[in-house]
Short mmCIF file of all heavy atoms in Angstrom, two decimals:
data_model
loop_
_atom_site.label_atom_id
_atom_site.label_comp_id
_atom_site.label_asym_id
_atom_site.label_seq_id
_atom_site.Cartn_x
_atom_site.Cartn_y
_atom_site.Cartn_z
N ASP A 1 -23.99 -5.07 -3.12
CA ASP A 1 -23.34 -5.94 -4.11
C ASP A 1 -23.45 -5.38 -5.67
O ASP A 1 -22.75 -5.88 -6.48
CB ASP A 1 -23.75 -7.37 -4.01
CG ASP A 1 -23.30 -7.97 -2.71
OD1 ASP A 1 -22.31 -7.62 -2.24
OD2 ASP A 1 -24.03 -8.96 -2.28
N ALA A 2 -24.33 -4.49 -5.82
CA ALA A 2 -24.73 -4.03 -7.08
C ALA A 2 -23.96 -2.91 -7.60
O ALA A 2 -23.97 -2.59 -8.70
CB ALA A 2 -26.30 -3.76 -7.28
N GLU A 3 -23.20 -2.23 -6.71
CA GLU A 3 -22.51 -1.07 -7.11
C GLU A 3 -21.29 -0.83 -6.29
O GLU A 3 -21.05 -1.38 -5.18
CB GLU A 3 -23.60 0.15 -7.00
CG GLU A 3 -24.04 0.49 -5.66
CD GLU A 3 -25.02 1.56 -5.57
OE1 GLU A 3 -24.92 2.48 -6.40
OE2 GLU A 3 -25.94 1.59 -4.62
N TYR A 4 -20.53 0.08 -6.72
CA TYR A 4 -19.19 0.41 -5.97
C TYR A 4 -19.70 1.60 -5.09
O TYR A 4 -20.37 2.52 -5.37
CB TYR A 4 -18.17 1.01 -6.92
CG TYR A 4 -17.56 -0.26 -7.75
CD1 TYR A 4 -17.81 -0.35 -9.10
CD2 TYR A 4 -16.66 -1.13 -7.24
CE1 TYR A 4 -17.34 -1.41 -9.71
CE2 TYR A 4 -16.08 -2.06 -7.85
CZ TYR A 4 -16.39 -2.27 -9.20
OH TYR A 4 -15.80 -3.30 -9.99
N ILE A 5 -19.05 1.51 -3.86
CA ILE A 5 -19.34 2.57 -2.91
C ILE A 5 -18.81 3.86 -3.26
O ILE A 5 -19.48 4.95 -2.89
CB ILE A 5 -18.82 2.06 -1.40
CG1 ILE A 5 -19.64 2.82 -0.29
CG2 ILE A 5 -17.44 2.29 -1.38
CD1 ILE A 5 -19.48 2.23 1.03
N TYR A 6 -17.83 3.94 -4.22
CA TYR A 6 -17.35 5.32 -4.55
C TYR A 6 -18.41 5.98 -5.44
O TYR A 6 -18.22 7.19 -5.67
CB TYR A 6 -15.98 5.19 -5.18
CG TYR A 6 -16.03 4.68 -6.62
CD1 TYR A 6 -16.20 5.55 -7.56
CD2 TYR A 6 -15.62 3.34 -6.94
CE1 TYR A 6 -16.24 5.13 -8.94
CE2 TYR A 6 -15.58 2.87 -8.21
CZ TYR A 6 -15.91 3.74 -9.21
OH TYR A 6 -15.95 3.32 -10.60
N GLN A 7 -19.37 5.18 -5.82
CA GLN A 7 -20.37 5.81 -6.78
C GLN A 7 -21.40 6.54 -5.89
O GLN A 7 -22.35 7.07 -6.35
CB GLN A 7 -21.04 4.82 -7.69
CG GLN A 7 -20.02 4.23 -8.68
CD GLN A 7 -20.61 2.97 -9.46
OE1 GLN A 7 -21.46 2.29 -8.89
NE2 GLN A 7 -20.18 2.75 -10.58
N MET A 8 -21.25 6.56 -4.42
CA MET A 8 -22.10 7.23 -3.69
C MET A 8 -21.45 8.36 -3.03
O MET A 8 -21.00 8.24 -1.74
CB MET A 8 -22.70 6.24 -2.70
CG MET A 8 -23.42 5.07 -3.29
SD MET A 8 -24.04 3.94 -2.10
CE MET A 8 -22.53 2.83 -1.71
N PRO A 9 -21.06 9.41 -3.63
CA PRO A 9 -20.28 10.46 -3.14
C PRO A 9 -20.65 11.14 -1.93
O PRO A 9 -19.75 11.50 -1.01
CB PRO A 9 -20.22 11.53 -4.30
CG PRO A 9 -21.41 11.33 -5.08
CD PRO A 9 -21.68 9.86 -4.95
N TYR A 10 -21.96 11.29 -1.74
CA TYR A 10 -22.28 12.04 -0.40
C TYR A 10 -22.10 11.05 0.79
O TYR A 10 -21.43 11.60 1.86
CB TYR A 10 -23.85 12.53 -0.43
CG TYR A 10 -24.18 13.51 -1.56
CD1 TYR A 10 -25.31 13.30 -2.35
CD2 TYR A 10 -23.26 14.43 -1.68
CE1 TYR A 10 -25.73 14.24 -3.34
CE2 TYR A 10 -23.66 15.43 -2.75
CZ TYR A 10 -24.79 15.32 -3.61
OH TYR A 10 -25.08 16.20 -4.46
N ARG A 11 -22.42 9.88 0.70
CA ARG A 11 -22.20 9.00 1.81
C ARG A 11 -20.70 8.77 1.92
O ARG A 11 -20.14 8.60 3.03
CB ARG A 11 -22.93 7.66 1.61
CG ARG A 11 -24.44 7.76 2.05
CD ARG A 11 -25.13 6.44 1.79
NE ARG A 11 -25.40 6.42 0.32
CZ ARG A 11 -26.13 5.39 -0.30
NH1 ARG A 11 -26.57 4.31 0.42
NH2 ARG A 11 -26.30 5.33 -1.69
N ASN A 12 -20.00 8.68 0.84
CA ASN A 12 -18.57 8.56 0.75
C ASN A 12 -17.84 9.61 1.66
O ASN A 12 -16.98 9.42 2.39
CB ASN A 12 -18.08 8.41 -0.57
CG ASN A 12 -16.88 7.57 -0.83
OD1 ASN A 12 -16.66 6.54 -0.06
ND2 ASN A 12 -16.07 7.80 -1.74
N ALA A 13 -18.30 10.78 1.27
CA ALA A 13 -17.69 12.08 1.97
C ALA A 13 -17.89 12.01 3.39
O ALA A 13 -17.09 12.30 4.26
CB ALA A 13 -18.17 13.39 1.20
N LEU A 14 -19.19 11.64 3.78
CA LEU A 14 -19.48 11.57 5.22
C LEU A 14 -18.72 10.45 5.93
O LEU A 14 -18.22 10.70 7.02
CB LEU A 14 -21.07 11.36 5.34
CG LEU A 14 -21.51 11.27 6.82
CD1 LEU A 14 -21.24 12.60 7.55
CD2 LEU A 14 -23.13 11.00 6.76
N ILE A 15 -18.61 9.34 5.34
CA ILE A 15 -17.83 8.26 5.95
C ILE A 15 -16.30 8.78 6.16
O ILE A 15 -15.71 8.53 7.09
CB ILE A 15 -17.88 6.98 4.95
CG1 ILE A 15 -19.31 6.41 5.15
CG2 ILE A 15 -16.88 5.96 5.52
CD1 ILE A 15 -19.49 5.27 4.12
N ALA A 16 -15.77 9.35 5.12
CA ALA A 16 -14.40 9.90 5.11
C ALA A 16 -14.27 10.87 6.35
O ALA A 16 -13.35 10.81 7.15
CB ALA A 16 -13.92 10.58 3.80
N VAL A 17 -15.23 11.76 6.50
CA VAL A 17 -15.20 12.80 7.57
C VAL A 17 -15.20 12.12 8.89
O VAL A 17 -14.64 12.56 9.91
CB VAL A 17 -16.30 13.77 7.42
CG1 VAL A 17 -16.41 14.57 8.59
CG2 VAL A 17 -16.06 14.71 6.25
N LEU A 18 -15.90 10.97 8.99
CA LEU A 18 -15.96 10.19 10.15
C LEU A 18 -14.69 9.47 10.50
O LEU A 18 -14.27 9.31 11.75
CB LEU A 18 -17.13 9.29 10.32
CG LEU A 18 -18.60 10.07 10.26
CD1 LEU A 18 -19.74 9.03 10.00
CD2 LEU A 18 -18.82 10.78 11.57
N LEU A 19 -14.14 8.89 9.59
CA LEU A 19 -13.07 7.88 9.72
C LEU A 19 -11.72 8.64 9.91
O LEU A 19 -10.84 8.07 10.57
CB LEU A 19 -13.02 6.88 8.63
CG LEU A 19 -14.14 5.82 8.59
CD1 LEU A 19 -13.89 4.91 7.40
CD2 LEU A 19 -14.37 5.05 9.78
N ILE A 20 -11.47 9.61 9.08
CA ILE A 20 -10.17 10.23 9.15
C ILE A 20 -9.69 10.83 10.39
O ILE A 20 -8.52 10.63 10.79
CB ILE A 20 -10.16 11.32 7.97
CG1 ILE A 20 -10.14 10.68 6.58
CG2 ILE A 20 -8.92 12.15 8.02
CD1 ILE A 20 -10.35 11.69 5.38
N PRO A 21 -10.63 11.57 11.17
CA PRO A 21 -10.19 12.02 12.49
C PRO A 21 -9.66 10.87 13.47
O PRO A 21 -8.77 10.94 14.25
CB PRO A 21 -11.39 12.66 13.08
CG PRO A 21 -12.10 13.13 11.80
CD PRO A 21 -11.98 12.06 10.83
N SER A 22 -10.43 9.69 13.25
CA SER A 22 -10.04 8.54 14.10
C SER A 22 -8.64 8.07 13.63
O SER A 22 -7.78 7.69 14.55
CB SER A 22 -11.06 7.42 13.86
OG SER A 22 -12.38 7.87 14.12
N CYS A 23 -8.46 8.07 12.34
CA CYS A 23 -7.05 7.60 11.96
C CYS A 23 -5.92 8.57 12.59
O CYS A 23 -4.96 8.19 13.03
CB CYS A 23 -6.95 7.62 10.48
SG CYS A 23 -7.96 6.40 9.68
N PHE A 24 -6.14 9.83 12.39
CA PHE A 24 -5.26 10.88 13.01
C PHE A 24 -5.04 10.55 14.51
O PHE A 24 -3.90 10.70 14.96
CB PHE A 24 -5.67 12.22 12.74
CG PHE A 24 -5.10 12.87 11.44
CD1 PHE A 24 -5.50 12.58 10.30
CD2 PHE A 24 -3.99 13.68 11.55
CE1 PHE A 24 -5.16 13.07 9.00
CE2 PHE A 24 -3.42 14.27 10.37
CZ PHE A 24 -4.07 13.93 9.04
N THR A 25 -6.12 10.40 15.22
CA THR A 25 -6.04 10.26 16.63
C THR A 25 -5.24 9.01 17.05
O THR A 25 -4.45 9.03 17.86
CB THR A 25 -7.50 10.26 17.28
OG1 THR A 25 -8.04 11.50 16.98
CG2 THR A 25 -7.38 10.00 18.77
N VAL A 26 -5.69 7.89 16.45
CA VAL A 26 -4.96 6.65 16.81
C VAL A 26 -3.38 6.73 16.49
O VAL A 26 -2.66 6.30 17.32
CB VAL A 26 -5.51 5.44 15.93
CG1 VAL A 26 -4.75 4.19 16.02
CG2 VAL A 26 -6.99 5.24 16.39
N PHE A 27 -3.00 7.30 15.33
CA PHE A 27 -1.67 7.33 14.94
C PHE A 27 -0.92 8.27 15.83
O PHE A 27 0.28 8.12 16.17
CB PHE A 27 -1.47 7.63 13.54
CG PHE A 27 -1.63 6.40 12.55
CD1 PHE A 27 -2.84 5.85 12.41
CD2 PHE A 27 -0.51 5.86 11.93
CE1 PHE A 27 -2.95 4.75 11.56
CE2 PHE A 27 -0.54 4.85 11.19
CZ PHE A 27 -1.91 4.27 10.92
N ARG A 28 -1.63 9.38 16.23
CA ARG A 28 -0.94 10.35 17.08
C ARG A 28 -0.82 9.73 18.52
O ARG A 28 0.27 10.06 19.20
CB ARG A 28 -1.81 11.59 17.23
CG ARG A 28 -1.11 12.83 17.86
CD ARG A 28 -1.94 13.97 17.97
NE ARG A 28 -2.50 14.54 16.76
CZ ARG A 28 -3.39 15.42 16.64
NH1 ARG A 28 -4.05 15.96 17.74
NH2 ARG A 28 -3.72 15.90 15.45
N ILE A 29 -1.72 9.06 19.00
CA ILE A 29 -1.57 8.36 20.24
C ILE A 29 -0.32 7.41 20.27
O ILE A 29 0.43 7.35 21.21
CB ILE A 29 -2.80 7.59 20.62
CG1 ILE A 29 -4.03 8.72 21.04
CG2 ILE A 29 -2.66 6.69 21.94
CD1 ILE A 29 -5.28 8.10 21.24
N ILE A 30 -0.39 6.62 19.25
CA ILE A 30 0.78 5.65 19.14
C ILE A 30 2.15 6.32 19.05
O ILE A 30 3.07 5.95 19.60
CB ILE A 30 0.59 4.63 17.99
CG1 ILE A 30 -0.74 3.87 18.19
CG2 ILE A 30 1.67 3.66 17.69
CD1 ILE A 30 -1.12 2.95 17.08
N GLY A 31 2.12 7.41 18.21
CA GLY A 31 3.35 8.22 18.13
C GLY A 31 4.27 7.82 17.03
O GLY A 31 4.93 8.52 16.38
N PHE A 32 4.66 6.52 17.09
CA PHE A 32 5.57 5.98 16.19
C PHE A 32 6.92 6.55 16.22
O PHE A 32 7.59 6.95 15.31
CB PHE A 32 5.14 6.05 14.59
CG PHE A 32 3.92 5.12 14.40
CD1 PHE A 32 2.66 5.69 14.57
CD2 PHE A 32 4.10 3.83 13.97
CE1 PHE A 32 1.55 4.96 14.33
CE2 PHE A 32 2.94 2.98 13.84
CZ PHE A 32 1.62 3.45 13.90
N ASN A 33 7.53 6.82 17.41
CA ASN A 33 8.63 7.51 17.74
C ASN A 33 9.92 6.70 17.73
O ASN A 33 11.05 7.12 17.78
CB ASN A 33 8.55 8.33 19.08
CG ASN A 33 7.59 9.39 19.08
OD1 ASN A 33 7.54 10.22 18.17
ND2 ASN A 33 6.69 9.49 20.05
N TYR A 34 9.66 5.27 17.75
CA TYR A 34 10.82 4.50 17.58
C TYR A 34 11.41 4.50 16.23
O TYR A 34 10.77 4.80 15.28
CB TYR A 34 10.38 2.96 17.99
CG TYR A 34 9.00 2.66 17.49
CD1 TYR A 34 8.85 2.01 16.25
CD2 TYR A 34 7.82 2.76 18.22
CE1 TYR A 34 7.55 1.69 15.71
CE2 TYR A 34 6.56 2.52 17.77
CZ TYR A 34 6.50 1.90 16.51
OH TYR A 34 5.18 1.56 16.06
N LYS A 35 12.81 4.15 16.22
CA LYS A 35 13.50 4.36 15.07
C LYS A 35 13.02 3.51 13.85
O LYS A 35 12.89 3.99 12.68
CB LYS A 35 15.00 4.23 15.32
CG LYS A 35 15.64 5.22 16.20
CD LYS A 35 17.15 5.01 16.49
CE LYS A 35 17.71 6.09 17.34
NZ LYS A 35 19.17 5.92 17.50
N LYS A 36 12.95 2.22 14.14
CA LYS A 36 12.51 1.28 12.98
C LYS A 36 11.09 1.09 12.95
O LYS A 36 10.49 0.43 13.90
CB LYS A 36 13.32 0.07 13.27
CG LYS A 36 14.82 0.01 13.17
CD LYS A 36 15.44 -1.37 13.26
CE LYS A 36 17.03 -1.18 13.03
NZ LYS A 36 17.68 -2.48 13.18
N SER A 37 10.46 1.58 12.01
CA SER A 37 8.98 1.48 11.78
C SER A 37 8.69 1.17 10.34
O SER A 37 8.98 2.05 9.50
CB SER A 37 8.31 2.71 12.30
OG SER A 37 6.88 2.72 11.93
N LEU A 38 8.15 0.14 10.01
CA LEU A 38 7.75 -0.22 8.61
C LEU A 38 6.86 0.89 8.09
O LEU A 38 7.12 1.33 6.96
CB LEU A 38 7.16 -1.55 8.52
CG LEU A 38 6.64 -1.96 7.12
CD1 LEU A 38 7.98 -2.07 6.19
CD2 LEU A 38 5.98 -3.32 7.22
N LEU A 39 5.80 1.22 8.83
CA LEU A 39 4.88 2.20 8.29
C LEU A 39 5.69 3.53 8.04
O LEU A 39 5.30 4.27 6.92
CB LEU A 39 3.80 2.50 9.26
CG LEU A 39 2.66 1.24 9.39
CD1 LEU A 39 1.66 1.66 10.33
CD2 LEU A 39 2.04 0.98 7.98
N ARG A 40 6.39 4.00 8.93
CA ARG A 40 7.17 5.28 8.67
C ARG A 40 8.02 5.11 7.40
O ARG A 40 8.21 6.15 6.63
CB ARG A 40 8.09 5.60 9.83
CG ARG A 40 7.28 6.16 11.13
CD ARG A 40 8.13 6.45 12.19
NE ARG A 40 9.16 7.39 11.86
CZ ARG A 40 10.17 7.71 12.84
NH1 ARG A 40 10.23 7.18 13.99
NH2 ARG A 40 11.09 8.59 12.41
N TYR A 41 8.70 3.98 7.26
CA TYR A 41 9.54 3.76 6.10
C TYR A 41 8.73 3.93 4.83
O TYR A 41 9.15 4.55 3.84
CB TYR A 41 10.24 2.55 6.18
CG TYR A 41 11.25 2.26 5.05
CD1 TYR A 41 12.49 2.72 4.96
CD2 TYR A 41 10.79 1.34 4.00
CE1 TYR A 41 13.41 2.40 3.93
CE2 TYR A 41 11.63 1.07 2.91
CZ TYR A 41 12.93 1.70 2.91
OH TYR A 41 13.74 1.42 1.81
N LEU A 42 7.52 3.18 4.84
CA LEU A 42 6.69 3.27 3.67
C LEU A 42 6.23 4.64 3.32
O LEU A 42 6.08 5.13 2.18
CB LEU A 42 5.54 2.37 3.79
CG LEU A 42 5.95 0.76 3.89
CD1 LEU A 42 4.63 -0.06 4.14
CD2 LEU A 42 6.74 0.35 2.76
N GLY A 43 5.89 5.32 4.47
CA GLY A 43 5.36 6.72 4.29
C GLY A 43 6.47 7.65 3.81
O GLY A 43 6.14 8.47 2.89
N LYS A 44 7.68 7.49 4.09
CA LYS A 44 8.75 8.23 3.50
C LYS A 44 8.99 8.05 2.05
O LYS A 44 9.31 9.01 1.27
CB LYS A 44 10.04 8.04 4.17
CG LYS A 44 10.09 8.64 5.61
CD LYS A 44 11.43 8.24 6.39
CE LYS A 44 11.41 8.73 7.71
NZ LYS A 44 12.69 8.41 8.51
N HIS A 45 8.55 6.84 1.57
CA HIS A 45 8.71 6.44 0.22
C HIS A 45 7.35 6.36 -0.53
O HIS A 45 7.28 5.60 -1.55
CB HIS A 45 9.48 5.14 0.11
CG HIS A 45 10.86 5.25 0.55
ND1 HIS A 45 11.88 5.81 -0.25
CD2 HIS A 45 11.46 4.89 1.68
CE1 HIS A 45 13.07 5.87 0.44
NE2 HIS A 45 12.85 5.25 1.55
#
């Protein structure tokens, strides 16, 4: 509660390395191949 987590760059980088592959894997599994997708629309813009 005393500090922002972005002020801890080493742990921050490690957390990012752990979470980002999970994000890619989850979104790749889902595919989002259907035409109407809010996330795809937001991504394009």
Side-chain angles (χ1 to χ4, degrees):
D1 289 331
E3 60 185 334
Y4 288 103
I5 202 165
Y6 77 82
Q7 295 172 332
M8 301 179 281
Y10 296 138
R11 278 174 287 183
N12 211 29
L14 179 57
I15 291 170
V17 168
L18 291 170
L19 294 183
I20 290 173
S22 305
C23 291
F24 266 80
T25 299
V26 169
F27 276 73
R28 191 185 297 172
I29 290 173
I30 296 173
F32 293 92
N33 293 313
Y34 37 91
K35 291 183 179 180
K36 294 184 178 180
S37 169
L38 177 60
L39 287 180
R40 282 178 60 185
Y41 182 79
L42 296 181
K44 291 177 182 178
H45 295 281

